[in-house]
């Protein structure tokens, strides 16, 4: 059973929301677009791996995008799969055409045919995550759970080359489609020890959401974020409110609910709450009662004490 499904990570959500709201001349515009592309590529790769892991969903407990904290240090696991016998940690990698893994120097070199780039050695990264995960289990009185890890390549076209010990790589690095069989092979040699669902629930209870101030990293200030309702068809910012509709000034497309995305962008990029005045500024409308109606429609909760609206923690409006 899959008890935690992957959502678009918050830093990527923020990048996707902020980029159309910046002037193309913004100082770090190209760097923001580059980071968005990279994060999207990683996210899509993780979803590819999810497809294969979900083939085992009826036999075990799966958690995607697990973010845990132990001994004051947080760590992120792309997927955790628990059977009655062991836990399997999966690191997804969306590498380019060719990857060279050097088991002696612990180096990872990516090549697209023209340029070579060195990146973190994925096995060391996965080994460290395994140690952190074992610390987590020990802290929750589950020290006897065997833990295995895999580095899964999401692009079936990636060619793996090894320099050094092939055997070290062959059992740890694989393409996504091989994962179910590799997990079952290990599992079949072990004995039942615990209830995977209970273990999964313990992990789920401790899971947080990974986030960081990505806008600050690129020097995006609130004043750089262009207000306005975005056209769902052409992306133009600044749809005009006509009777019961939003109308795009650029492509003349009409929308009844384009404001939902704008309010969501505000909550994601500017503040976790919104006032009626801020809503009017950001949506470029003048009517106070229209703003109230819109905020209600977005299922926001009114906080009388501070005269502002906020999202219910378990509710997203996108
Ligand atoms: Zn438009």
């Amino acid at each position: 059973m899959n008890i935690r499904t992957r959502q678009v990570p918050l830093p990527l959500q923020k990048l996707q929301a902020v980029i159309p709201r910046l002037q193309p001349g913004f100082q770090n515009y190209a760097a923001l677009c580059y980071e968005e592309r990279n994060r999207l590529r990683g996210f899509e790769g993780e979803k590819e791996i999810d497809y294969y892991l979900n083939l085992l969903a009826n036999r075990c407990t799966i958690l995607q995008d697990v973010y845990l904290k132990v001994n004051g240090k947080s760590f992120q696991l792309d997927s955790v799969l628990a059977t009655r016998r062991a836990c399997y940690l999966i690191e997804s990698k969306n590498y380019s055409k060719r990857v060279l893994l050097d088991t002696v120097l612990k180096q990872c070199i990516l090549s697209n045919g023209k340029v070579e780039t060195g990146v973190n050695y994925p096995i060391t990264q996965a080994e460290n995550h395994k140690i952190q995960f074992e610390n987590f289990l020990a802290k929750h009185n589950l020290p006897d759970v065997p833990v295995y890890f895999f580095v899964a390549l999401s692009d079936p076209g990636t060619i793996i080359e090894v320099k050094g010990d092939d055997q070290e790589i062959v059992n740890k690095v694989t393409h996504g489609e091989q994962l179910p069989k590799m997990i079952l092979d290990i599992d079949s040699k072990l004995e039942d020890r615990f209830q995977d669902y209970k273990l999964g629930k313990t992990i789920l209870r401790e899971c947080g959401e990974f986030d960081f101030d990505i806008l600050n990293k690129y020097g995006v200030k609130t004043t750089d974020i262009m207000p306005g309702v975005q056209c769902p068809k052409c992306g133009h910012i600044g749809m005009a409110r006509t009777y019961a509709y939003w109308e795009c000034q650029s492509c003349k497309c009409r929308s009844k609910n384009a404001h939902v995305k704008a309010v969501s962008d505000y909550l994601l990029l500017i503040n976790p709450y919104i006032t009626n005045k801020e809503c009017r500024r950001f949506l470029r409308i003048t009517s106070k009662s229209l703003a109230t109606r819109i905020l209600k429609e977005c299922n926001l909760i009114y906080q009388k004490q501070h005269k502002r609206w906020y999202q219910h923690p378990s509710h997203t409006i996108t």
Side-chain angles (χ1 to χ4, degrees):
M1 192 181 173
N2 192 329
I3 60 169
R4 183 178 157 92
T5 49
R6 192 175 309 286
Q7 310 291 329
V8 180
L10 283 166
L12 178 56
Q13 280 190 37
K14 289 180 184 176
L15 288 166
Q16 289 175 329
V18 81
I19 289 171
R21 293 185 176 277
L22 296 172
Q23 301 290 348
F26 181 75
Q27 50 175 350
N28 288 325
Y29 191 80
L32 277 156
C33 294
Y34 181 76
E35 172 122 21
E36 185 207 6
R37 275 200 305 278
N38 268 347
R39 285 184 179 268
L40 185 62
R41 194 178 141 79
F43 176 62
E44 282 171 348
E46 286 159 10
K47 285 200 297 184
E48 287 288 320
I49 302 298
D50 292 341
Y51 170 82
Y52 294 108
L53 287 180
N54 280 335
L55 299 179
L56 301 176
N58 60 340
R59 310 174 181 225
C60 60
T61 300
I62 301 174
L63 295 99
Q64 296 164 350
D65 192 22
V66 171
Y67 185 60
L68 298 170
K69 202 172 196 179
V70 65
N71 304 333
K73 285 198 166 60
S74 45
F75 61 105
Q76 199 174 9
L77 305 164
D78 290 340
S79 298
V80 177
L81 190 145
T83 67
R84 286 193 300 271
R85 302 170 174 188
C87 263
Y88 302 86
L89 313 181
I90 291 95
E91 291 283 333
S92 307
K93 296 289 173 197
N94 200 348
Y95 286 152
S96 47
K97 284 190 166 41
R98 209 172 269 272
V99 54
L100 173 72
L101 295 160
D102 183 334
T103 62
V104 181
L105 297 173
K106 310 285 181 203
Q107 286 193 130
C108 176
I109 297 160
L110 306 181
S111 161
N112 61 7
K114 293 176 194 157
V115 187
E116 284 195 343
T117 333
V119 294
N120 284 346
Y121 191 62
I123 297 175
T124 307
Q125 190 188 20
E127 279 167 346
N128 285 333
H129 282 165
K130 178 175 179 272
I131 294 169
Q132 284 173 299
F133 188 69
E134 284 167 342
N135 290 343
F136 171 86
L137 293 175
K139 198 179 163 193
H140 291 87
N141 299 318
L142 298 158
D144 297 329
V145 177
V147 180
Y148 298 86
F149 71 83
F150 293 103
V151 174
L153 307 188
S154 56
D155 185 345
T158 304
I159 297 164
I160 309 168
E161 283 179 274
V162 181
K163 195 173 170 188
D165 182 4
D166 283 8
Q167 282 310 307
E168 192 183 314
I169 299 300
V170 89
N171 296 319
K172 291 181 182 136
V173 181
T174 183
H175 285 106
E177 61 179 356
Q178 308 290 339
L179 268 179
K181 185 175 182 306
M182 289 173 85
I183 290 170
L184 292 177
D185 280 352
I186 297 177
D187 220 52
S188 65
K189 297 186 183 90
L190 306 172
E191 285 175 5
D192 284 4
R193 286 168 181 254
F194 50 83
Q195 287 176 293
D196 53 288
Y197 187 71
K198 271 193 176 173
L199 175 66
K201 278 283 188 191
T202 304
I203 300 170
L204 185 64
R205 206 174 46 236
E206 299 296 319
C207 258
E209 293 301 328
F210 173 72
D211 192 17
F212 78 101
D213 195 350
I214 197 158
L215 301 186
N216 185 42
K217 177 180 169 188
Y218 289 100
V220 180
K221 295 188 291 292
T222 302
T223 47
D224 298 320
I225 301 170
M226 212 191 302
V229 171
Q230 187 180 17
C231 170
K233 199 174 167 197
C234 76
H236 174 79
I237 302 274
M239 293 183 98
R241 181 76 187 184
T242 54
Y243 178 72
Y245 286 102
W246 297 96
E247 191 176 275
C248 177
Q249 305 296 285
S250 178
C251 76
K252 299 296 169 197
C253 153
R254 278 180 163 194
S255 164
K256 260 192 158 175
N257 56 5
H259 55 265
V260 175
K261 168 80 166 59
V263 172
S264 164
D265 285 358
Y266 182 95
L267 296 170
L268 192 61
L269 300 173
I270 298 178
N271 278 316
Y273 52 81
I274 185 166
T275 61
N276 189 293
K277 192 179 170 191
E278 274 290 87
C279 176
R280 280 177 278 147
R281 176 187 77 80
F282 203 70
L283 269 52
R284 295 186 183 164
I285 52 174
T286 49
S287 163
K288 218 172 169 176
S289 60
L290 174 62
T292 304
R293 210 168 73 221
I294 281 173
L295 294 168
K296 270 187 192 158
E297 261 177 39
C298 292
N299 285 324
L300 299 184
I301 300 163
Y302 187 60
Q303 206 176 29
K304 214 172 175 184
Q305 188 189 1
H306 298 106
K307 291 187 175 171
R308 63 196 191 188
W309 299 74
Y310 68 98
Q311 229 169 324
H312 191 272
S314 65
H315 186 76
T316 48
I317 60 170
T318 47

